[in-house]
Amino acid sequence: MVIYVYFSVFGVKILLNFYLYTIIYIGNIMPKQKTKKAVSKRFKVSKTGKVMHKHTNRSHRAFGKTTKQKRHSRKTATMNAASSDRIGRCLPYSKFSKKG
């Protein structure tokens, strides 16, 4: 039976074959970037790399809005370039491009 054990000594990751007591891998493993889950739930990145979001003011008080306002707010909108750059940094593994 072969058991592999990962452990860290002074920040260096070591993979050890526990059965034969041989070191298989020594070195630093690059940390993974984390996706901001709140951003991933609210924004989507299109295939062309644009950041899409829902329109605001849709949850209640619809009686004060015209039919045209309510109809147009059903669709998703694209975000401007300044804000989409900030959102793109929170989604490191998306197809984000700085097109805007």
Side-chain angles (χ1 to χ4, degrees), residues 18-56:
F18 202 72
Y19 183 70
L20 299 174
Y21 292 105
T22 56
I23 296 174
I24 296 173
Y25 174 80
I26 298 177
N28 288 328
I29 298 172
M30 289 297 292
K32 294 181 180 178
Q33 292 180 322
K34 290 190 175 181
T35 300
K36 298 281 186 181
K37 290 300 184 177
V39 174
S40 67
K41 291 172 187 175
R42 289 169 174 83
F43 303 98
K44 301 293 177 210
V45 179
S46 66
K47 288 186 178 181
T48 57
K50 295 178 182 176
V51 179
M52 309 296 285
H53 67 93
K54 288 185 178 180
H55 281 277
T56 57

Side-chain angles (χ1 to χ4, degrees), residues 7 14 16 20 22 29 34 42-43 46-47 52 55 59-60 62-63 67 69 71 73 76 78 84 86-87 92:
F7 62 96
I14 298 173
L16 179 68
L20 299 174
T22 56
I29 298 172
K34 290 190 175 181
R42 289 169 174 83
F43 303 98
S46 66
K47 288 186 178 181
M52 309 296 285
H55 281 277
S59 59
H60 57 87
F63 57 84
T67 307
Q69 282 177 313
R71 184 176 65 247
S73 64
T76 56
T78 56
S84 63
R86 192 173 66 239
I87 297 299

Side-chain angles (χ1 to χ4, degrees), residues 76-95:
T76 56
T78 56
M79 189 168 278
N80 60 9
S83 298
S84 63
D85 183 39
R86 192 173 66 239
I87 297 299
R89 284 195 299 264
C90 296
L91 302 170
Y93 298 106
S94 65
K95 283 184 135 185

